[in-house]
Amino acid sequence: MLFKQQALLRQKLFLLGSLAIGSLLYLVARVGSLDRLQPLCPIDGRFGPRGQDEIPLRALQFKRGLLHEFRKGNATKEQIRLHNLVQQLPKAIIIGVRKGGTRALLEMLNLHPAVVKASQEIHFFDNDENYAKGIEWYRKKMPFSYPHQITIEKSPAYFITEEVPERIYKMNSSIKLLIIVREPTTRAISDYTQVLEGKERKNKTYYKFEKLAIDPNTCEVNTKYKAVRTSIYTKHLERWLKYFPIEQFHIVDGDRLITEPLPELQLVEKFLNLPPRISQYNLYFNATRGFYCLRFNIVFNKCLAGSKGRIHPEVDTSVITKLRKFFHPFNQKFYQITGRTFNWP
């Protein structure tokens, strides 16, 4: 009898405990949901007086729910009108450079409540077939956003494609342009590494980096190799400066974005005339990945794809020295034009 009573008591205590834990979890979730949905993020300055043009904080529930449905095309016109959402042309574009950290920069800027990113590279201005489809086709590739949010897209091929500066100028002559760069030799090797991985997945052979980067006939740097050409930043920037003043460009240090992202992001916030919203809370170092990951709130975290941070192959030190010597005068000119100096060898 006593044994049955003890068993019954334990069962009741277990049920009470379960109910208490369930209630606590519900309250935490409810409070978190309300916290995400209710606060407003005032965007000062260019976004109008406080109270008139306030932008709701992009809550996890909204960001991954309603906007996801819009992107899939499942939303009705009434839902779009009700939430006052639009697809607008970008007010800023990350134009390059390839393997400089464009994806990391875009994802990190997306932490800001006034920034909405295009999920995929659109390749509108560098692709003749896409460009022929017209500006409305481009607009429809943009995410839904509030009117006073900034839409940003990134297509790193824009920086090196000859026709792009004029095409973007015709769309918006006052657009803000972001260029993220890394030490040129490191960037070239990273570029090679990505192509090499693609070849290996298809069981194809590929030349060693040294053979591509150095002309075997002259033993000098092979400027016909695309990975080398892309790293001559000043040559490409000079073409852009025929259409846009240097004040419309912001140079991001891609090497620093890896090791110390917050100061770089704060500089971008200032360039885009955004109130400071990204903080150290939003960035945490993942020791396993060796990179900073993103924290949107207490529930939602995100790390970059596993393909980021590939291990570079061993490259002959004499080739690295030759490349750095080759890039040096171009780097000095790049510092002079942009007003930003990097500690590149």
Side-chain angles (χ1 to χ4, degrees):
M1 184 68 177
L2 181 60
F3 177 77
K4 288 183 178 180
Q5 288 178 340
Q6 289 175 339
L8 187 61
L9 180 61
R10 282 196 297 270
Q11 188 177 12
K12 288 181 178 179
L13 288 172
F14 175 79
L15 289 172
L16 287 171
S18 299
L19 286 170
I21 291 171
S23 299
L24 181 61
L25 289 173
Y26 171 80
L27 287 172
V28 169
R30 180 63 177 164
V31 169
S33 175
L34 290 172
D35 181 61
R36 291 191 299 273
L37 288 171
Q38 290 177 355
L40 295 178
C41 173
I43 305 302
D44 305 317
R46 66 190 297 276
F47 294 102
R50 181 181 175 90
Q52 291 182 8
D53 294 319
E54 294 185 327
I55 299 173
L57 210 58
R58 287 171 304 148
L60 174 65
Q61 181 176 340
F62 186 78
K63 176 183 174 61
R64 296 177 63 84
L66 187 59
L67 284 181
H68 179 64
E69 291 302 309
F70 290 159
R71 283 195 294 270
K72 290 194 305 181
N74 293 343
T76 65
K77 290 182 179 180
E78 177 60 24
Q79 285 176 311
I80 294 170
R81 186 197 63 76
L82 182 65
H83 290 278
N84 195 31
L85 294 169
V86 292
Q87 285 174 294
Q88 54 185 331
L89 294 171
K91 295 185 177 74
I93 300 179
I94 302 172
I95 60 175
V97 299
R98 172 180 162 93
K99 306 313 299 173
T102 56
R103 173 56 60 182
L105 177 60
L106 183 68
E107 296 293 344
M108 289 177 178
L109 289 178
N110 193 47
L111 289 164
H112 199 290
V115 172
V116 179
K117 69 177 177 70
S119 298
Q120 303 296 323
E121 293 179 9
I122 310 300
H123 289 286
F124 177 64
F125 298 102
D126 66 309
N127 184 297
D128 291 340
E129 185 178 338
N130 287 342
Y131 190 68
K133 295 174 182 176
I135 202 71
E136 283 308 308
W137 178 88
Y138 181 54
R139 186 195 300 274
K140 289 177 181 176
K141 292 292 182 181
M142 295 299 131
F144 283 92
S145 62
Y146 290 102
H148 296 293
Q149 287 179 305
I150 290 179
T151 296
I152 297 181
E153 76 124 321
K154 74 102 174 173
S155 295
Y158 289 168
F159 186 58
I160 64 170
T161 305
E162 190 171 342
E163 299 83 5
V164 171
E166 182 179 5
R167 289 174 174 179
I168 292 182
Y169 180 84
K170 286 179 178 178
M171 178 191 73
N172 181 359
S173 62
S174 62
I175 197 165
K176 295 189 179 253
L177 302 165
L178 294 161
I179 305 171
I180 179 167
V181 294
R182 297 189 67 193
E183 191 277 313
T185 301
T186 302
R187 195 223 63 83
I189 295 171
S190 181
D191 197 327
Y192 166 83
T193 305
Q194 177 169 299
V195 175
L196 176 64
E197 185 181 276
K199 298 285 186 182
E200 289 175 342
R201 280 200 304 267
K202 298 175 183 177
N203 294 317
K204 293 183 178 180
T205 57
Y206 196 49
Y207 293 112
K208 291 187 69 175
F209 177 78
E210 292 87 341
K211 191 167 184 178
L212 295 168
I214 304 298
D215 187 324
N217 297 319
T218 63
C219 292
E220 297 300 326
V221 172
N222 179 15
T223 55
K224 293 181 181 179
Y225 179 38
K226 187 177 180 180
V228 169
R229 290 202 317 273
T230 301
S231 285
I232 307 175
Y233 304 138
T234 185
K235 290 290 186 183
H236 305 294
L237 181 59
E238 284 172 345
R239 186 172 59 252
W240 283 85
L241 290 173
K242 293 176 183 177
Y243 294 91
F244 299 96
I246 193 63
E247 292 76 21
Q248 282 177 233
F249 296 87
H250 178 73
I251 311 301
V252 179
D253 186 342
D255 295 308
R256 192 184 184 201
L257 193 73
I258 295 171
T259 60
E260 197 179 0
L262 185 58
E264 286 299 314
L265 295 173
Q266 290 172 334
L267 289 173
V268 178
E269 284 180 323
K270 186 176 180 180
F271 171 70
L272 296 177
N273 295 322
L274 293 171
R277 290 293 182 271
I278 303 173
S279 69
Q280 198 61 57
Y281 169 81
N282 300 119
L283 302 158
Y284 67 95
F285 187 75
N286 186 312
T288 304
R289 298 289 303 279
F291 284 93
Y292 277 87
C293 293
L294 316 180
R295 181 186 290 114
F296 288 85
N297 52 44
I298 196 171
V299 176
F300 182 45
N301 299 339
K302 179 178 182 179
C303 289
L304 297 178
S307 61
K308 304 301 176 185
R310 298 177 180 88
I311 298 174
H312 293 181
E314 291 286 338
V315 176
D316 189 288
T317 53
S318 65
V319 171
I320 292 176
T321 301
K322 187 180 287 287
L323 282 167
R324 286 177 172 170
K325 185 177 180 181
F326 168 80
F327 286 126
H328 182 75
F330 296 112
N331 295 342
Q332 295 303 309
K333 193 170 184 180
F334 186 70
Y335 302 160
Q336 185 180 8
I337 292 173
T338 62
R340 182 157 195 186
T341 302
F342 299 94
N343 296 321
W344 296 338

